[in-house]
């Protein structure tokens, strides 16, 4: 069974940093992708970043490009989202989710949504 568990959320000041983790299990092949999504109160859920777990290709939404970095640790079956230069606009519940690898860019562009989702972790950016 595919499972995803997010952690690492919390409170950060503007300009600060947080690192989110997504622990994964239950995948039967390397041809999947892990995407990070977020949903702020009163707004629709949006794709933030995605990594293809076969070749490692990464994708970013324009709003986070240059500030966020997605990476993976294959030995730990964990995907990370390093968030730097945080802004108040980054405040949201962040979810990691898994789906077919070839849809990775579509997840970020909000054309598609993955199949499996974690429970979410709250990120609050405030002074």
């Amino acid at each position: 069974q595919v499972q995803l568990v997010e952690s690492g959320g919390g409170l950060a000041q503007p300009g600060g940093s947080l690192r989110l983790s997504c622990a994964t299990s239950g995948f039967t092949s390397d041809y999947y992708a892990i995407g990070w999504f977020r949903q702020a109160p009163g707004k629709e859920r949006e794709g933030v970043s995605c990594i293809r777990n076969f070749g490692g290709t990464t994708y970013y939404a324009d709003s986070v490009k240059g500030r966020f970095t997605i990476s993976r640790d294959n030995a730990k079956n964990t995907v990370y989202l390093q968030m730097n230069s945080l802004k108040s606009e980054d405040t949201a519940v962040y979810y990691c989710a898994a789906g077919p690898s070839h849809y990775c860019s579509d997840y970020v562009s909000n054309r598609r949504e993955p199949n499996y989702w974690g429970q979410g972790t709250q990120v609050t950016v405030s002074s």
Side-chain angles (χ1 to χ4, degrees):
Q1 296 285 87
V2 174
Q3 296 184 61
L4 304 97
V5 180
E6 303 98 330
S7 62
L11 177 64
Q13 294 186 344
S17 298
L18 287 172
R19 189 179 75 163
L20 306 183
S21 298
C22 177
T24 70
S25 63
F27 293 101
T28 58
S29 77
D30 292 327
Y31 296 93
Y32 67 93
I34 300 294
W36 285 98
F37 300 78
R38 66 186 183 186
Q39 186 166 22
K43 295 185 178 180
E44 295 184 352
R45 188 167 58 199
E46 62 178 344
V48 175
S49 185
C50 188
I51 184 168
R52 297 180 65 183
N53 285 12
F54 177 70
T57 306
T58 59
Y59 303 85
Y60 298 93
D62 289 340
S63 59
V64 307
K65 196 170 298 181
R67 300 189 297 121
F68 292 8
T69 302
I70 190 169
S71 62
R72 66 183 183 185
D73 185 334
N74 290 335
K76 296 182 178 180
N77 296 315
T78 300
V79 173
Y80 304 96
L81 184 68
Q82 179 68 45
M83 305 186 295
N84 298 326
S85 302
L86 284 165
K87 305 175 181 179
S88 60
E89 303 95 282
D90 297 318
T91 296
V93 176
Y94 283 71
Y95 302 87
C96 67
S101 184
H102 55 282
Y103 291 140
C104 207
S105 63
D106 289 338
Y107 300 150
V108 173
S109 65
N110 303 302
R111 292 185 176 183
R112 292 180 178 269
E113 290 192 339
N115 308 87
Y116 305 99
W117 293 79
Q119 81 287 354
T121 184
Q122 176 71 46
V123 171
T124 301
V125 183
S126 176
S127 59

